[in-house]
Amino acid sequence: MGGWCHESLMAISHAWIVRPEARSCFFSAPQEFTEEKFGQAEKTELDAHFENLLARADSTKNWTEKILRQTEVLLQPNPSARVEEFLYEKLDRKVPSRVTNGELLAQYMADAASELGPTTPYGKTLIKVAEAEKQLGAAERDFIHTASISFLTPLRNFLEGDWKTISKERRLLQNRRLDLDACKARLKKAKAAEAKATCEGDTVPDFQETRPRNYILSASASALWNDEVDKAEQELRVAQTEFDRQAEVTRLLLEGISSTHVNHLRCLHEFVKSQTTYYAQCYRHMLDLQKQLGSSQGAIFPGTFVGTTEPASPPLSSTSPTTAAATMPVVPSVASLAPPGEASLCLEEVAPPASGTRKARVLYDYEAADSSELALLADELITVYSLPGMDPDWLIGERGNKKGKVPVTYLELLS
């Protein structure tokens, strides 16, 4: 009995220690990952739909990061200020109120007017421009606040919340896959060793020997590898179950990226809405400032033309009426802007001044709203001049024997 135990122990030692295939059949996840990278082990492939979900998730994360960073640059161009805001956010503290560039410029202009003389023409103009810049700064502050809440915050929440959860589950899936592949490799090695041990056990021993030692070792090894195969198959079934469960969890999270796109789409609409409101406010403030400066300019520099001498940006080429209306300059209503008595002005009785007429090139087509206005065609040349008390956004235009009011924003005044 003691001899049989000794032989069994030697068989176990022979199978687990002497044989190299016994030592190589026990894999760990890091070993499996390394061998896969070197092409020395098989890898469980995910289905095409799952791979597409992974690619879409990675693309969503990458582009969300880029859009977030660039939007932060748009709202706050100063990198030092962005770092400060980031630190306050991480410390869960309220970001201190910061003066906008427009508000700072307004303060400088107001101080300059106070020192140089608020009653002088230059000082009065500085005060008017300072008030407009202050309004622009306030509009910018509102835009930054609204865009941060409606657009930046949802993007950050996705990157710091949903995406971290997805990344965690993907790492777990990767570990489950490595475990599954390791179990497959272990089972494959065990079956190969079992087959080899079986072949050796089928060899008829030479009973003329005193002790049929080789036959006993082979039989013991064969039984040992049979147990190892059963154990490897059980571990493979467990690993496959865990892998399938984790793959389903990860799949559900990846399919949720579609809901993320819908949420980001809504936030994008909110961002565009806030940006449109901001630029509309800026345009309104500057239009009011232009009217104020135009009125004072006529009083300070008699005989000069009111309005810009630089051509405005041409409208975008589009056949869409909505796009054309959005890109064309907004012409104020003549009835609402004309001073008292101007609306009833008889154009037939208006004579051009002896000096002060200029040529102007028409930038865009303009359809006259009533008989007091002159219809315009793009690129034609007309003669224009201003009349005392006339709204600064309008001029009198002449083309041949036709005469009427024309909007300044549709003209490029030529020298």
Side-chain angles (χ1 to χ4, degrees):
M1 186 69 180
W4 170 246
C5 292
H6 177 71
E7 296 294 341
S8 301
L9 182 60
M10 291 185 63
I12 295 174
S13 301
H14 181 74
W16 290 77
I17 301 176
V18 178
R19 293 175 180 265
E21 62 266 26
R23 297 196 305 269
S24 63
C25 70
F26 297 100
F27 290 84
S28 64
Q31 289 175 331
E32 181 68 21
F33 180 79
T34 303
E35 293 197 2
E36 286 180 1
K37 288 298 182 181
F38 285 98
Q40 298 176 355
E42 296 182 1
K43 177 182 177 181
T44 300
E45 298 294 340
L46 302 170
D47 59 82
H49 176 63
F50 201 99
E51 293 289 354
N52 290 335
L53 291 177
L54 290 174
R56 187 177 66 156
D58 289 334
S59 180
T60 300
K61 180 256 185 181
N62 293 335
W63 284 112
T64 300
E65 285 183 333
K66 292 180 180 180
I67 293 173
L68 174 63
R69 300 292 173 257
Q70 193 57 37
T71 306
E72 290 175 338
V73 173
L74 172 67
L75 299 180
Q76 179 50 265
N78 188 342
S80 300
R82 292 201 303 272
V83 172
E84 181 182 353
E85 292 175 357
F86 174 79
L87 294 177
Y88 273 101
E89 180 183 350
K90 290 302 179 182
L91 296 175
D92 198 17
R93 297 176 59 183
K94 183 179 180 181
V95 180
S97 179
R98 182 179 289 106
V99 178
T100 63
N101 293 328
E103 292 171 327
L104 187 59
L105 177 59
Q107 184 62 45
Y108 288 164
M109 288 184 172
D111 294 343
S114 177
E115 184 173 337
L116 300 176
T119 59
T120 63
Y122 182 43
K124 291 180 179 179
T125 303
L126 279 174
I127 293 175
K128 292 179 180 179
V129 176
E131 183 60 29
E133 293 295 337
K134 183 178 180 181
Q135 293 173 332
L136 292 177
E140 180 184 4
R141 183 191 302 277
D142 293 340
F143 167 59
I144 293 175
H145 178 71
T146 304
S148 298
I149 294 177
S150 63
F151 190 60
L152 292 184
T153 299
L155 297 186
R156 290 195 189 100
N157 290 341
F158 166 72
L159 294 174
E160 298 176 1
D162 295 347
W163 182 252
K164 286 188 176 180
T165 302
I166 292 175
S167 300
K168 176 183 176 182
E169 297 300 329
R170 287 178 65 175
R171 288 192 297 269
L172 288 176
L173 178 63
Q174 174 77 346
N175 293 335
R176 295 290 182 269
R177 186 190 63 77
L178 292 174
D179 292 341
L180 176 62
D181 292 341
C183 290
K184 290 180 178 179
R186 183 181 299 119
L187 178 61
K188 183 177 179 181
K189 289 288 185 178
K191 287 185 175 180
E194 181 190 29
K196 185 175 180 180
T198 301
C199 292
E200 292 178 356
D202 290 341
T203 304
V204 178
D206 184 6
F207 289 100
Q208 297 300 323
E209 295 184 6
T210 306
R211 298 174 64 189
R213 179 174 177 274
N214 293 335
Y215 178 76
I216 296 174
L217 290 175
S218 298
S220 301
S222 177
L224 179 64
W225 283 119
N226 188 29
D227 293 341
E228 177 63 22
V229 169
D230 294 339
K231 181 181 178 181
E233 289 177 344
Q234 176 63 24
E235 291 179 351
L236 178 60
R237 285 192 292 270
V238 173
Q240 184 70 55
T241 301
E242 293 179 352
F243 172 78
D244 293 341
R245 184 187 301 112
Q246 185 60 38
E248 184 63 23
V249 171
T250 308
R251 184 193 302 273
L252 292 176
L253 290 174
L254 294 175
E255 290 176 348
I257 292 292
S258 298
S259 300
T260 300
H261 288 180
V262 173
N263 184 41
H264 288 183
L265 175 61
R266 179 184 58 80
C267 296
L268 187 60
H269 279 282
E270 293 293 332
F271 176 72
V272 172
K273 180 180 177 181
S274 62
Q275 199 170 27
T276 303
T277 302
Y278 167 62
Y279 286 121
Q281 290 175 341
C282 292
Y283 175 78
R284 185 166 60 252
H285 294 324
M286 296 310 296
L287 188 62
D288 293 341
L289 176 62
Q290 188 180 37
K291 292 177 183 178
Q292 297 177 34
L293 297 183
S295 301
S296 61
Q297 185 180 359
I300 299 172
F301 307 105
T304 59
F305 281 87
V306 176
T308 178
T309 58
E310 297 295 331
S313 299
L316 299 175
S317 300
S318 174
T319 57
S320 170
T322 305
T323 305
T327 56
M328 293 291 284
V330 178
V331 181
S333 171
V334 177
S336 62
L337 297 180
E342 185 180 327
S344 60
L345 181 65
C346 183
L347 294 176
E348 289 76 8
E349 301 175 358
V350 172
S355 61
T357 61
R358 291 176 66 174
K359 291 292 185 180
R361 184 175 68 88
V362 179
L363 299 176
Y364 324 110
D365 293 344
Y366 176 70
E367 184 177 352
D370 52 46
S371 59
S372 66
E373 298 180 8
L374 179 66
L376 304 175
L377 295 176
D379 295 327
E380 68 174 338
L381 294 178
I382 62 173
T383 301
V384 294
Y385 52 88
S386 180
L387 296 177
M390 190 173 181
D391 187 278
D393 292 320
W394 296 82
L395 294 173
I396 299 297
E398 290 187 358
R399 182 180 60 240
N401 59 353
K402 295 184 179 181
K403 185 186 303 183
K405 297 176 183 178
V406 292
V408 174
T409 51
Y410 279 64
L411 303 174
E412 177 188 359
L413 300 179
L414 305 177
S415 56

